[in-house]
Amino acid sequence: MDVKINNRKLLLLLILCLIPFFGAIFGIVLIILSYNQKDKILFKIGMLGIVFTFAVYATIYFISESHYDSNKQYVKLSRRTLFILKQDIENYKNKFGKYPESLEVLEKSNDMIMIADPILLSKRNREIKTTFEYKSNKSSYILFSVGVDCKANTNDDIYP
């Protein structure tokens, strides 16, 4: 059973193959028909439907995974930065006999000190403070990251 396919029908087949999920099913049907009719154009359109569907779902998967992984990476980076910052605070106390009044004071004492929280920097929101949380008195201090939710005193806060 040979069926002549004109340009209009080819365009319709091509459009149907570009619908994710249905394009893959339709692509398989077209590949089977292409073997029966010995038609290379049907085969190519069928493969396009399968490949396009795979590409769409792979992209959705990798975008969602990379967002989750990037949060995990920023948490690791914040932990490392907090650890180094804690050492810098102790070095400041040894040098000046007291804890710094603020992280900005600590940063002014040494250009190599980073007081910005990588998690908060990754949000790219100018309305939020991007430094770690820090409070001190004469004998102690509290230093932490607000975590991924950007709110202090929640379960995802990160301490050195």
Side-chain angles (χ1 to χ4, degrees):
M1 179 173 143
D2 279 343
V3 176
K4 275 283 195 193
I5 299 178
N6 62 24
N7 288 343
R8 195 173 216 181
K9 288 181 182 176
L10 279 176
L11 183 61
L12 179 64
L13 293 174
L14 183 62
I15 290 171
L16 289 173
C17 279
L18 294 179
I19 302 171
F21 184 71
F22 295 110
I25 294 169
F26 198 68
I28 292 169
V29 170
L30 285 179
I31 289 172
I32 293 168
L33 285 174
S34 74
Y35 282 120
N36 291 341
Q37 296 184 12
K38 310 248 188 292
D39 190 343
K40 290 181 181 178
I41 293 176
L42 284 180
F43 178 79
K44 289 178 182 177
I45 292 174
M47 286 301 295
L48 176 71
I50 293 169
V51 169
F52 185 76
T53 296
F54 176 76
V56 166
Y57 285 108
T59 302
I60 291 169
Y61 173 77
F62 286 117
I63 287 173
S64 66
E65 283 297 308
S66 68
H67 178 71
Y68 176 73
D69 285 343
S70 69
N71 279 342
K72 287 188 342 188
Q73 295 302 323
Y74 284 117
V75 167
K76 285 182 181 179
L77 187 56
S78 284
R79 278 197 178 108
R80 287 185 194 129
T81 306
L82 277 169
F83 179 75
I84 294 168
L85 195 54
K86 180 181 175 184
Q87 292 174 334
D88 292 332
I89 291 169
E90 294 299 330
N91 289 339
Y92 182 95
K93 183 178 186 232
N94 289 338
K95 185 175 181 180
F96 297 103
K98 63 178 183 173
Y99 290 114
E101 297 164 14
S102 68
L103 290 178
E104 289 77 13
V105 170
L106 178 67
E107 185 179 42
K108 286 178 185 173
S109 72
N110 184 343
D111 293 340
M112 300 299 291
I113 294 175
M114 180 177 156
I115 64 170
D117 186 343
I119 293 173
L120 297 176
L121 288 175
S122 73
K123 303 295 181 188
R124 296 188 177 114
N125 184 346
R126 293 181 183 189
E127 296 175 9
I128 60 174
K129 182 179 92 167
T130 58
T131 59
F132 290 106
E133 294 292 316
Y134 175 79
K135 292 179 183 139
S136 70
N137 59 34
K138 292 181 181 180
S139 61
S140 66
Y141 66 92
I142 297 172
L143 173 69
F144 66 95
S145 167
V146 294
V148 177
D149 69 357
C150 301
K151 296 177 185 172
N153 304 314
T154 59
N155 289 337
D156 74 333
D157 292 352
I158 303 166
Y159 293 88

